[in-house]
Amino acid sequence: MKPALIRAAIAASCLAFASQLMAAEPKRPECIAPAAPGGGFDLTCKLAQSALVDSKLLSSPMRVTYMPGGVGAVAYNAVVAQRPSEAGTITAFSSGSLLNLAQGKFGRFDENAVKWLAGVGTSYGALAVRSDSPYKTLDDLVAAIKTEPGKVVIGSGGTVGSQDWMQTALIARAAGIDPRQLRYVAMEGGGELATALLGGHIQVASTDISDSVPHIESGDMRILAVFSDERLPGEVVSKIPTAKEQGYDVTWPVIRGFYVGPKVSDEAYAWWKNAFDQLLASEDFAQLREQRELYPFAMTGDELDAYVKKQVVQYKQLAQEFGLIQQ
């Protein structure tokens, strides 16, 4: 074949491939937030909702659907078993989702049951109290727990073994306290945690920093510690001490991202991956992420899949250390 004909054939193939990608745009895009409104899953979905529409990557609005239950378990099972091939549906996940998967809390489905799509940002765990709380520092809280563990009611998203539980269990272990002595109230996500804390139903909320900033700015909430290696940037959060600088060697990054159903076509998956690759490379998206107190984290496709599988292995080891699963 002549060079001119070869170039023409390649151009035609590229055009056809581009047309397929354009045709794969979902008609009824939806993001499932696996919790009640107001928490981290809600924030994750609304970040995608704003970014995809503002960037014109989606030509139709994306709706956010709330599917609370089991801190992600209900949504995971629904997507895998009942909605496995919905090309327009993405579902939010976090590091907490992976921790629960590591412990088998999502039922018969494991980390191989979905297609991991994109990781778009990270937050960090935090311990929050009301602004009028007698606990001013992490040491104050630890001292109170040591004196009378049952009097300090700690709210967490999920039951024993959840991400929020694990954060306080790590602090307890670092302080020489048996985590089984801690008094927990299990809740469904950051929205419920904030409501319970500000209403005086719990004394401490094990949460993450991105959920908490609006309440810090309003003056209703104080953060005793953030579980990052160093103080975080930003006018509000840079004033918050880390657990490490207070003598407790505990860090807990909270990765936020999306997965799709196991039977979503390769073409539809490629469309979403391409869309998120474009977002993650854009300055506009970086600003949207920063506005939601999320920090840079960018992985898609096979790279994210490998990261998820590695994290699940590490979380299984951590769960074994705390006696949550058998070795």
Side-chain angles (χ1 to χ4, degrees), residues 138-160:
L138 199 48
D139 279 340
D140 291 343
L141 175 61
V142 167
I145 293 173
K146 283 185 173 179
T147 301
E148 203 166 357
K151 286 194 70 174
V152 182
V153 183
I154 303 169
S156 67
T159 56
V160 170

Side-chain angles (χ1 to χ4, degrees), residues 55-310:
S55 64
K56 311 298 184 187
L57 288 166
L58 278 176
S59 57
S60 57
M62 168 180 271
R63 74 182 188 276
V64 175
T65 302
Y66 300 98
M67 196 178 291
V71 194
V74 169
Y76 199 83
N77 279 264
V79 169
V80 176
Q82 300 161 25
R83 306 170 62 175
S85 57
E86 290 186 6
T89 301
I90 63 174
T91 305
F93 80 90
S94 72
S95 299
S97 311
L98 306 185
L99 179 62
N100 284 345
L101 278 169
Q103 297 173 66
K105 289 187 174 183
F106 282 9
R108 68 186 190 275
F109 300 120
D110 64 12
E111 67 275 14
N112 300 301
V114 301
K115 292 183 177 181
W116 302 99
L117 177 62
V120 298
T122 184
S123 183
Y124 292 90
L127 289 181
V129 295
R130 280 179 21 159
S131 56
D132 59 357
S133 170
Y135 311 132
K136 308 295 185 186
T137 66
L138 199 48
D139 279 340
D140 291 343
L141 175 61
V142 167
I145 293 173
K146 283 185 173 179
T147 301
E148 203 166 357
K151 286 194 70 174
V152 182
V153 183
I154 303 169
S156 67
T159 56
V160 170
S162 68
Q163 173 172 261
D164 292 344
W165 179 90
M166 189 64 76
Q167 292 174 170
T168 48
L170 288 167
I171 289 291
R173 186 171 71 175
I177 301 169
D178 184 349
R180 291 174 295 183
Q181 292 184 307
L182 303 179
R183 184 180 172 190
Y184 282 97
V185 177
M187 297 183 182
E188 189 66 42
E192 285 190 19
L193 275 174
T195 300
L197 180 65
L198 298 180
H201 305 295
I202 58 176
Q203 281 75 59
V204 183
S206 182
T207 181
D208 79 55
I209 196 65
S210 61
D211 289 354
S212 308
V213 167
H215 304 291
I216 301 168
E217 291 176 330
S218 69
D220 296 326
M221 191 181 286
R222 181 170 64 249
I223 302 297
L224 298 181
V226 61
F227 300 131
S228 54
D229 284 316
E230 299 176 344
R231 288 205 183 195
L232 299 173
E235 184 178 351
V236 175
V237 295
S238 62
K239 300 172 185 175
I240 300 170
T242 66
K244 274 191 167 185
E245 72 184 77
Q246 297 179 75
Y248 302 87
D249 189 10
V250 176
T251 58
W252 195 273
V254 183
I255 306 305
R256 299 205 171 276
F258 305 94
Y259 62 83
V260 297
K263 295 183 181 179
V264 168
S265 70
D266 290 344
E267 293 80 12
Y269 181 86
W271 187 93
W272 282 112
K273 180 184 182 301
N274 179 61
F276 278 107
D277 283 339
Q278 290 185 57
L279 283 183
L280 290 166
S282 76
E283 191 60 37
D284 288 343
F285 179 78
Q287 291 177 6
L288 283 173
R289 182 174 56 200
E290 184 178 341
Q291 289 168 9
R292 289 159 175 79
E293 302 300 331
L294 291 175
Y295 302 90
F297 182 90
M299 282 189 190
T300 61
D302 290 342
E303 184 184 15
L304 178 66
D305 183 78
Y307 172 86
V308 165
K309 306 296 172 56
K310 181 180 178 182

